[in-house]
Amino acid sequence: MNERDSEAVASLLRARGYAMVEDEAQADIVLLNTCAVRDLAEQKAIGKAAYLNKRKRHNPRFLVGVLGCMAQNRGVDLLDRLPDLDLLVGTQKFHRVPDYLDNLLATQNGQGPRPKTLVDLDAEEGSQNEIRGHDSVDNAPQISAYVSIMQGCNMHCTFCIVPKTRGEERSRPMEEIVREAEELVAHGTREITLLGQIVTSYGRREFPMAGGKSPFVQLLERLHALPGLLRLRFTSPHPGGFKTDLIDAHRDLPKLGEYVHLPVQSGSDKILRAMNRPYTRDSYRRLVEKLRAAQPKLWFSTDIIVGFPGETDEDFAATRELFEEVGFEMAYLFKYSTRTGTPAAEMPDQIPADVAEARHKELMMILEKRSLARHRELIGTTQEVLAQEPAKRPAGRLLGRTRGYRKVFFDAPARLLGELVDVRITGATVAALAGEVVGKDDA
Ligand code: 5AD
């Protein structure tokens, strides 16, 4: 989501005549788009901003801005830590950044006291519709593009800062999203990833059900029908959003591929309740089974938090057991991070860091074993791979993704970018696959 927001800001800035530079040292302006989900992300952003601000000693015209979730979360208190900041812009004001920079540059004379920090952290009605511009550098097509469909989240998981940083759920009109997707496809996009803090809730307040289908599934069907679009993905979903219509979609819409991200957070019913996650270990398990019944080839990934307040050894054992039982091919494993202002921050029995660390390691090892085993099973098979981008090295290699969303590196000419290529898998690591193109005599 943050990448997408940054890209939209970059696109607006380019349109306004600003130019991106490759090297940070060459920049006259640096904008940091920030995350607030865990404390570590905030600390990194603060450290980076402080480091950048030092450059002003040599160049008083150098501008630094902090945008996004940390700006929204910490507000003007951030200026105690970063008094030299020029710009502080929240999550509903990304589209205003070009105006603010123009203003800052217009008032800048390099002499006298520095103007006060320009701050805009307000909510703005309709701001979900402003994340539109796509930044295609040198007109190269974005083979895989993000499309923001909604902003905010009303679920109020007790650990999560997002309701504060992103606000209430607000969805973009379906017609606008479809139009944006059509334009992208016309410019060469072959894969679209729909984005939102809780995409499965798309339009649930704004738009009616139709034929038993939620607005989100209606949107998936509309986009799936676009000729030229090869793959359609979405993130982040909530397990509660997987009703029959969305489960069936994984059977009926082949462009969804064979991959589902299903954040479970914990395998203990007690902890799930404390997290305000409205499902149980058993209902989650049943959901996985239903999805596998709808699409037997699915690969699963998840999010897990270890060390949530009150997590006993038994609670963690329940998580580990579920984790092994489902057999996720991929997972984002997090140590609980206290977010001031969330209900969990006030809960008793906060877990010591070393305990969380040990639990995290344990899951990490299970995950690595499982990922490697599943990747190795693919050796010798032929996979349909979307060729997405040139690999960083060596030259001549491309990077693509299987239908299960696994990374594959393979030698192929650049003209295959954007195409579905049959690749025979020849090697596997925990993180990726290697292979060679089959069936294209001329490749
Ligand atoms: N501490 C640790 N992890 C968190 N996440 C969200 N909030 C926190 C927190 N306070 C994780 C969840 C979520 C993912 C995006 O980040 O697993 O699904």
Side-chain angles (χ1 to χ4, degrees):
M1 180 60 87
N2 279 6
E3 275 179 35
R4 175 73 197 102
D5 290 337
S6 301
E7 181 195 57
V9 172
S11 149
L12 288 170
L13 287 173
R14 265 188 228 271
R16 194 63 76 86
Y18 291 82
M20 303 298 150
V21 289
E22 286 294 321
D23 180 3
E24 182 185 306
Q26 304 297 317
D28 302 311
I29 302 168
V30 177
L31 303 175
L32 302 177
N33 191 15
T34 56
C35 174
V37 171
R38 283 169 295 278
D39 189 53
L40 188 65
E42 292 201 346
Q43 295 310 327
K44 277 189 193 163
I46 291 172
K48 179 79 187 183
Y51 167 80
L52 286 167
N53 274 335
K54 286 193 199 138
R55 241 161 86 182
K56 293 184 182 185
R57 286 192 216 137
H58 316 290
N59 178 7
R61 288 171 176 268
F62 180 61
L63 297 177
V64 181
V66 168
L67 319 181
C69 286
M70 182 179 70
Q72 199 73 53
N73 184 32
R74 298 204 168 210
V76 289
D77 288 352
L78 204 52
L79 301 180
D80 297 340
R81 294 282 298 277
L82 300 167
D84 296 331
L85 219 51
D86 299 286
L87 190 61
L88 187 66
V89 174
T91 54
Q92 303 200 20
K93 297 291 185 174
F94 288 114
H95 57 288
R96 299 279 289 147
V97 168
D99 286 345
Y100 292 149
L101 285 180
D102 284 354
N103 286 350
L104 284 168
L105 291 172
T107 55
Q108 193 177 56
N109 57 18
Q111 294 150 16
R114 198 183 64 86
K116 278 206 340 221
T117 312
L118 216 162
V119 177
D120 190 354
L121 303 167
D122 294 343
E124 182 174 318
E125 189 144 349
S127 66
Q128 74 273 21
N129 299 321
E130 301 293 340
I131 302 298
R132 272 181 316 211
H134 284 266
D135 200 34
S136 75
V137 182
D138 303 330
N139 266 336
Q142 283 187 323
I143 291 164
S144 181
Y146 292 126
V147 173
S148 171
I149 65 169
M150 56 87 66
Q151 295 264 318
C153 185
N154 291 8
M155 290 305 283
H156 294 282
C157 301
T158 55
F159 51 78
C160 189
I161 198 70
V162 164
K164 178 176 173 198
T165 58
R166 292 286 183 166
E168 298 267 315
E169 288 172 18
R170 293 111 48 217
S171 295
R172 294 178 61 196
M174 208 174 299
E175 295 308 322
E176 273 186 33
I177 297 167
V178 172
R179 210 175 309 132
E180 183 175 326
E182 282 170 346
E183 268 169 36
L184 283 167
V185 172
H187 284 97
T189 293
R190 295 292 169 255
E191 174 180 83
I192 286 178
T193 303
L194 304 179
L195 292 179
Q197 276 78 35
I198 175 157
V199 277
T200 39
S201 293
Y202 168 78
R204 65 177 171 165
R205 249 169 240 85
E206 294 91 340
F207 315 117
M209 302 278 288
K213 287 171 183 162
S214 65
F216 181 59
V217 173
Q218 295 169 41
L219 177 64
L220 288 179
E221 289 183 346
R222 291 276 306 267
L223 297 175
H224 194 270
L226 292 181
L229 185 68
L230 301 175
R231 288 188 178 168
L232 180 59
R233 304 186 182 281
F234 54 84
T235 201
S236 237
H238 190 292
F242 284 78
K243 307 281 193 291
T244 312
D245 58 344
L246 185 52
I247 295 170
D248 289 350
H250 285 84
R251 179 193 62 208
D252 300 335
L253 304 179
K255 292 177 186 177
L256 290 182
E258 290 147 13
Y259 171 71
V260 176
H261 181 60
L262 208 57
V264 68
Q265 313 296 0
S266 170
S268 149
D269 285 342
K270 183 191 93 190
I271 296 295
L272 287 171
R273 255 194 323 275
M275 287 175 162
N276 194 28
R277 300 286 291 183
Y279 51 86
T280 62
R281 168 194 184 76
D282 264 346
S283 68
Y284 183 89
R285 261 204 207 113
R286 280 199 301 277
L287 174 56
V288 169
E289 275 163 26
K290 281 186 204 159
L291 280 161
R292 283 210 168 112
Q295 170 52 269
K297 291 190 198 149
L298 281 182
W299 290 54
F300 283 89
S301 66
T302 197
D303 290 353
I304 288 185
I305 299 176
V306 297
F308 185 83
E311 185 185 66
T312 61
D313 286 342
E314 291 73 49
D315 293 319
F316 175 67
T319 297
R320 192 185 47 219
E321 201 186 283
L322 183 72
F323 191 65
E324 288 192 297
E325 185 193 316
V326 175
F328 299 99
E329 279 89 12
M330 237 299 284
Y332 301 89
L333 305 172
F334 304 111
K335 283 168 272 180
Y336 170 72
S337 170
T338 308
R339 310 283 57 216
T340 306
T342 62
E346 310 298 322
M347 290 180 186
D349 303 322
Q350 300 279 328
I351 303 300
D354 57 329
V355 175
E357 183 64 46
R359 291 175 181 170
H360 185 257
K361 246 196 207 123
E362 216 174 306
L363 293 187
M364 206 60 117
M365 281 165 61
I366 295 171
L367 175 64
E368 284 185 5
K369 241 172 91 184
R370 165 84 183 163
S371 301
L372 185 59
R374 288 282 284 150
H375 282 177
R376 284 195 174 143
E377 281 172 21
L378 294 184
I379 293 178
T381 67
T382 297
Q383 300 290 316
E384 180 200 274
V385 172
L386 176 62
Q388 280 174 301
E389 57 192 272
K392 294 213 174 69
R393 71 198 138 83
R397 292 199 116 188
L398 301 186
L399 170 57
R401 299 265 189 174
T402 65
R403 292 179 58 75
Y405 205 46
R406 303 294 82 214
K407 274 186 187 167
V408 188
F409 293 91
F410 55 103
D411 288 325
R415 70 190 147 76
L416 291 187
L417 285 171
E419 294 196 21
L420 294 176
V421 185
D422 282 336
V423 175
R424 192 174 42 246
I425 305 303
T426 55
T429 66
V430 170
L433 303 162
E436 50 197 32
V437 177
V438 291
K440 299 221 174 192
D441 324 329
D442 56 345

